[in-house]
Amino acid sequence: MDSYDRENIILNKEYKHPDHPKCYCDFDGGVTSVLMTAYDRANIGRRYYACGNIFEGLNCNFYQWYDHFEILSPYIVEVVRTLNEAYNRAECDIMISSDDNMKLKQRLKLLEESTHKLSKQFDKLSESYRRSECENLELSNEIATQRQIVKQLMDEKHKIIEDASKIEFKVTIERIAH
């Protein structure tokens, strides 16, 4: 079905009836036609029969006027025209909404990818931080151990100095005594 048909008719299967004329399709002597409504400017609101396979894409281009060109009141023509314009606007809005929805889905996908990348970077940084914390703890423990060793060495140094002073004092007293 071409865009002209889409814009100018409403496809409505419920208007297919056994009493309708048969179309030119070569299936068992023709297919029961479908009653349709025209929406082009020249025939707005006119009813006609169309190929019964129009919905299946096997259209044989059959059409026959149903109403034998009954003159429609200007009010009905205007109502049909207004409804057709509203239908076309709604169809455009749906297409725009669909495009917006597609753009939002693409944006969401990009955000999800960015979030995934940031999550990986965060995990790497967290692991690096944990390693740094472990290294800092090891260094802190090593510094504490070194401080204890320095304290022990200082204590030993003071003890040696004290012992040396005692020995020197004894030696000095012994010299004086001799």
Side-chain angles (χ1 to χ4, degrees):
M1 174 172 308
D2 62 18
S3 63
Y4 178 81
D5 290 334
R6 263 182 76 79
E7 292 172 5
N8 294 304
I9 60 174
I10 292 179
L11 304 178
N12 197 334
K13 287 186 178 182
E14 69 187 64
Y15 289 104
K16 193 171 188 178
H17 189 274
D19 294 339
H20 291 182
K22 303 282 186 193
C23 68
Y24 305 129
C25 288
D26 204 15
F27 303 105
D28 300 323
V31 175
T32 301
S33 60
V34 180
L35 186 59
M36 311 282 283
T37 303
Y39 289 98
D40 59 22
R41 291 198 183 276
N43 297 301
I44 194 162
R46 280 192 76 187
R47 307 297 304 257
Y48 66 97
Y49 295 106
C51 173
N53 289 318
I54 195 167
F55 302 108
E56 284 76 27
L58 304 171
N59 187 0
C60 68
N61 295 319
F62 169 83
Y63 85 94
Q64 176 182 333
W65 291 115
Y66 168 77
D67 57 14
H68 306 291
F69 198 66
E70 295 172 9
I71 305 277
L72 299 174
S73 75
Y75 173 74
I76 291 177
V77 169
E78 186 57 33
V79 167
V80 171
R81 183 174 288 125
T82 302
L83 289 173
N84 190 39
E85 288 172 0
Y87 173 81
N88 288 336
R89 278 193 307 275
E91 194 172 62
C92 286
D93 289 346
I94 288 170
M95 289 172 52
I96 289 169
S97 294
S98 179
D99 288 346
D100 289 345
N101 189 25
M102 181 67 73
K103 289 175 185 175
L104 287 172
K105 283 182 180 180
Q106 290 171 345
R107 192 166 173 214
L108 177 62
K109 184 178 179 181
L110 290 173
L111 287 172
E112 286 173 344
E113 289 171 358
S114 295
T115 301
H116 183 70
K117 287 178 184 177
L118 288 172
S119 177
K120 282 185 172 185
Q121 289 176 348
F122 177 78
D123 289 345
K124 286 179 182 178
L125 288 172
S126 293
E127 181 61 31
S128 177
Y129 176 77
R130 278 188 230 111
R131 273 192 250 118
S132 295
E133 284 293 308
C134 288
E135 289 171 3
N136 285 345
L137 182 62
E138 288 174 8
L139 287 173
S140 294
N141 289 339
E142 190 174 321
I143 289 171
T145 303
Q146 293 296 327
R147 283 186 179 153
Q148 286 178 344
I149 292 171
V150 167
K151 186 180 182 296
Q152 288 173 353
L153 289 174
M154 292 299 283
D155 289 345
E156 284 181 39
K157 176 183 168 188
H158 289 299
K159 189 174 180 188
I160 291 171
I161 291 172
E162 190 179 307
D163 288 345
S165 294
K166 285 180 186 176
I167 292 173
E168 191 178 325
F169 181 70
K170 280 184 186 179
V171 168
T172 304
I173 292 185
E174 284 179 6
R175 271 195 214 158
I176 294 177
H178 284 290

